[in-house]
Amino acid sequence: MEARTQESLDFSDLIDGYRQYAGPANLAERRIVSSECGAVKGEGFVQTLPELLWKVKRSYAGGLNQYVFHGYPYSGQYGNTTWPVFTTFNYQYSDMHGPHAPAWAYYKDQMDFVARNNWVMQAGVPKIDVALWQKVTVYPGHVQLRTYEPSDLEETGYTYEYLSPDNFDLPSATVVDGILAPDAQAFKVMVVRANDSLTIDGVSKLVEFAQAGLPIVLAGGIPKMYVGTYKPLTLRQSKRSLRDAVALPNVHVTNAYAVASTLEALGIRPRTRITAIAPANATWFTNWRSDENNSVDYVFIYNDVMHLPQGQGSSTGSIEFQSVGVPFAYDAWTGEQKPVLAYNTTSNSTLIPFTLAGNQSVVIAFHSAGTAKNLSHLSHIEDGVVGYSSTEHGLLLKVAFDPSGPPDYNASTSSATGLTLTDWTLIVEHWDPPANLYNITGGAYKHNTTHNLPSLVSWQAIPGLQNVSGRGYYSTTFSWPGLHDRPDGAILDFGWVYDTLQVFLNGHQLPPLDVTSPKLDVKQWLVVGENKVEAIVATPLGNVLIPIWYQLQTSGEGPGSPDASTVPPPIGQYGLQADVTLTPYKEVKVK
C-alpha cells in the first residue's frame, strides 16, 4: 500500500521534516512513501541532475522511497507559447523535463540509479532506533526548521522518526520484549521532550508502553502541556499516571534535550554506530531496511555536504553495523553486487571503513551466512589500493603503479596520483532559440563549434561559449605501454560531473558513472599504443535563455508579466572542469 505523496519543496529538503512524515506511514506498514520531488523556486531551466539526485538522497535518508519528478509539461504546440516548451508558474520553478532539454537523452543512467535505490528502500521493512513524540495541532505550510534541534543523534548514527499520539491506535503500535512496533520500525526507545504537547489518550498509551517494558526518555523533564478538551478529574488522573510511570526502571528523566549520550549510557546502541568522520563538515546518514523473507538487511549510507560546491566534501570514517551477515556493496549505478573488501567483526557487529565523496551514497547489504559464502576479506586497506576483486581462492588487489618506483610493488610503497589527461578537443553542439520563438515543435536551432583545450575549464572561460547551452563532445588520447613494465590495468577518474556524463574508451561505451565519484576500472578496454577517450556532457538550457528571458511566454504569460516575480536564471558553469586522471595499477594476489 502507498502513503499519501508529499513534496520536497514543501518540506524544504529537510531530512528531519521527512521523518515527521515517514514515521506514521511506516507505523501503518505502508511499503511505499512517495514524494513529488525537485521543484525549486528561482531555478527555472537551470537544475542539474546531480542536484536532483541530492534531493532524492536526502529523501532516502528521511525515509521516503519513491519519486515523481516535478515539471514534465505539455510538450506540443500551445497558443501564445514560446520555445523551449510550455512552462508552468511563470518560469519560476525547476524543471521542465523533456526532449527539449539537451540532457534528456542521458537521463537514463540517473533514473536507473533512482530505480535501483527505490527497489532497495522498498524491500522488507524499515528499522529505526528512536521514536520521537510529536503532537502538532496546526501543521505549518512549509517545513523549514528541525523539530528535534540537536544533531547528536545523526552524529553518532542513531536513526529516528516522529510519531504522534494519534498514531498509537494503529495495530503495529504494540510493545513486545521492550520493542515498540516489532513488526514495523522496531523502535528501541521513545523520547518525549519537556516542551512536547500531551493528550489524555496519548499519555494512556505512553504509560501502557512503559509498563510493557519500552525504554522511555523524558528529555528535559516531565512535559506538562496538554491539548484537547478534557475534564479536570481526567487531567489529574492522567498526570498522576505519568508521574507513577516515572518510577519504573525503564523510564528516565533527564535535564537536557540532547539524548544520544543518555541512550549510550543506557546501553541502547544504534544499528549503525558512526565514528571518526573527517573532515567535520560532513554528516553521514543511514537508513536500514530488513528483508526477513530473503534473509538480507540493506543499509543506505549517504554523505551529506549540502553547503559545499560540487566535487568537495569527501570524508573518511567507519560504521559499526549491528549485523554479522556477510557484507556486500550494491552499486546502484550499474547493478553490480560485490563483496566488501575490508571489515572487522565482533560477536554481534561488523565494522566497515568508508571513504565517501561529497553527496555520495552507497548501499551495503548483509546476507546471512547461510545464503552467502563467507569470502576472503581484509581487516584494513592501505592507501595505494585502488580496486579489488574477490574470488573463492582469495583476493586480487589492484595497487597503484608507478613505473619509476621500486620493482616490488605493494600498497604501502605505491603512489595513486596517476596521469592527468590533457589536450582535449571539444565540439559544442549549440542549442539556440529558433528564428521564430513561437515554433515549439521545431525545437532548438543547432550548430557546432570546435575548441582546443590544453586543460579542462568551465565553458564560461572558453571564448564564444558564454550564454551557450547544449551538448559537449570531448576527446583526447593517451599512450598505453607494451609488454615491458606494463601495468595490469588503470582507473579512469573524471573527478565530478556538473550535469550528465557518458564516456567511451576506444569506441566502447563505458558503464554508468556515479556523478559524485565518476571513476571506473578500464582494464578490459585498454589497447597497446594510442587510446582514445571520448566524453559527452549535456547542460541545462538556462544560459541560452538569459538573453531572451523576458521574451518567453506560456499562454500569454511569462517572466515579464505584471504578476510574475521571476528573475533570470543564474549563470551555469557548464562542461567538464575537474582534472581527468588515469591511475595505472598492478594486480597483487592475496591468499
Side-chain angles (χ1 to χ4, degrees), residues 296-375:
V296 183
D297 286 329
Y298 300 98
V299 185
F300 174 84
I301 304 161
Y302 169 54
N303 174 30
D304 184 66
V305 290
M306 62 179 296
H307 298 298
L308 295 181
Q310 280 182 278
Q312 298 183 22
S314 176
S315 59
T316 299
S318 60
I319 301 178
E320 183 180 5
F321 300 86
Q322 296 303 302
S323 173
V324 291
V326 181
F328 284 75
Y330 278 37
D331 188 335
W333 288 95
T334 64
E336 181 184 19
Q337 301 175 19
K338 190 175 183 180
V340 171
L341 171 62
Y343 60 92
N344 289 282
T345 59
T346 70
S347 60
N348 58 10
S349 67
T350 301
L351 183 69
I352 303 178
F354 293 93
T355 296
L356 300 174
N359 297 320
Q360 185 179 15
S361 66
V362 297
V363 172
I364 300 296
F366 291 93
H367 292 251
S368 70
T371 61
K373 294 181 179 180
N374 196 357
L375 300 171

Side-chain angles (χ1 to χ4, degrees), residues 244-308:
D244 291 344
V246 169
L248 295 172
N250 53 303
V251 179
H252 311 274
V253 182
T254 68
N255 294 323
Y257 281 95
V259 297
S261 59
T262 298
L263 301 183
E264 182 73 22
L266 294 174
I268 300 173
R269 302 291 298 276
R271 290 180 174 85
T272 53
R273 182 179 179 84
I274 298 172
T275 58
I277 296 179
N281 59 1
T283 302
W284 289 8
F285 293 91
T286 64
N287 199 323
W288 189 300
R289 305 283 301 198
S290 182
D291 184 356
E292 293 184 359
N293 291 335
N294 293 297
S295 302
V296 183
D297 286 329
Y298 300 98
V299 185
F300 174 84
I301 304 161
Y302 169 54
N303 174 30
D304 184 66
V305 290
M306 62 179 296
H307 298 298
L308 295 181

Side-chain angles (χ1 to χ4, degrees), residues 212-234:
L214 175 68
I216 294 175
V217 175
L218 302 177
I222 302 173
K224 300 177 180 179
M225 175 66 69
Y226 279 73
V227 295
T229 303
Y230 38 78
K231 295 178 180 180
L233 178 59
T234 304

Side-chain angles (χ1 to χ4, degrees), residues 36-350:
E36 178 189 341
C37 184
V40 180
K41 189 172 184 179
E43 287 200 2
F45 294 99
V46 301
Q47 187 179 69
T48 66
L49 288 176
E51 180 186 356
L52 186 63
L53 294 187
W54 172 82
K55 296 176 178 294
V56 168
K57 294 171 186 178
R58 287 179 67 84
S59 301
Y60 288 135
L64 309 186
N65 58 17
Q66 178 169 285
Y67 305 91
V68 176
F69 293 116
H70 174 89
Y72 196 105
Y74 180 87
S75 59
Q77 201 74 28
Y78 201 90
N80 296 320
T81 298
T82 62
W83 179 85
V85 74
F86 183 98
T87 305
T88 57
F89 301 107
N90 282 330
Y91 299 82
Q92 293 182 75
Y93 289 92
S94 59
D95 199 86
M96 300 293 104
H97 308 286
H100 63 278
W104 182 246
Y106 308 103
Y107 267 53
K108 186 178 186 303
D109 290 349
Q110 282 83 346
M111 296 303 103
D112 284 349
F113 168 83
V114 173
R116 292 188 182 100
N117 276 299
N118 283 356
W119 182 87
V120 168
M121 296 299 291
Q122 293 172 20
V125 294
K127 297 301 176 184
I128 308 296
D129 298 318
V130 182
L132 285 172
W133 174 294
Q134 181 184 43
K135 175 62 179 177
V136 179
T137 54
V138 178
Y139 212 86
H142 286 272
V143 181
Q144 297 177 320
L145 299 175
R146 294 170 60 101
T147 296
Y148 179 73
E149 294 181 359
S151 59
D152 59 323
L153 290 175
E154 290 109 330
E155 290 170 358
T156 49
Y158 289 96
T159 56
Y160 67 89
E161 287 180 345
Y162 293 91
L163 296 179
S164 165
D166 301 319
N167 306 138
F168 295 159
D169 288 331
L170 289 167
S172 293
T174 60
V175 174
V176 178
D177 296 330
I179 297 295
L180 173 61
D183 295 329
Q185 293 103 311
F187 295 108
K188 299 179 178 183
V189 61
M190 173 166 281
V191 174
V192 187
R193 294 154 295 167
N195 61 349
D196 277 324
S197 297
L198 303 178
T199 67
I200 297 295
D201 292 341
V203 169
S204 176
K205 279 288 188 179
L206 187 65
V207 171
E208 177 187 318
F209 295 158
Q211 292 172 342
L214 175 68
I216 294 175
V217 175
L218 302 177
I222 302 173
K224 300 177 180 179
M225 175 66 69
Y226 279 73
V227 295
T229 303
Y230 38 78
K231 295 178 180 180
L233 178 59
T234 304
L235 177 60
R236 288 197 298 271
Q237 291 173 337
S238 180
K239 290 183 176 180
R240 185 182 305 114
S241 67
L242 184 56
R243 287 196 302 269
D244 291 344
V246 169
L248 295 172
N250 53 303
V251 179
H252 311 274
V253 182
T254 68
N255 294 323
Y257 281 95
V259 297
S261 59
T262 298
L263 301 183
E264 182 73 22
L266 294 174
I268 300 173
R269 302 291 298 276
R271 290 180 174 85
T272 53
R273 182 179 179 84
I274 298 172
T275 58
I277 296 179
N281 59 1
T283 302
W284 289 8
F285 293 91
T286 64
N287 199 323
W288 189 300
R289 305 283 301 198
S290 182
D291 184 356
E292 293 184 359
N293 291 335
N294 293 297
S295 302
V296 183
D297 286 329
Y298 300 98
V299 185
F300 174 84
I301 304 161
Y302 169 54
N303 174 30
D304 184 66
V305 290
M306 62 179 296
H307 298 298
L308 295 181
Q310 280 182 278
Q312 298 183 22
S314 176
S315 59
T316 299
S318 60
I319 301 178
E320 183 180 5
F321 300 86
Q322 296 303 302
S323 173
V324 291
V326 181
F328 284 75
Y330 278 37
D331 188 335
W333 288 95
T334 64
E336 181 184 19
Q337 301 175 19
K338 190 175 183 180
V340 171
L341 171 62
Y343 60 92
N344 289 282
T345 59
T346 70
S347 60
N348 58 10
S349 67
T350 301

Side-chain angles (χ1 to χ4, degrees), residues 27 35 39 107 159 193 235 248 265 318 412 434 438 466 529 538-539 574:
L27 188 65
S35 171
Y107 267 53
T159 56
R193 294 154 295 167
L235 177 60
L248 295 172
S318 60
S412 61
Y438 289 87
Q466 294 69 42
T539 79
Y574 298 162

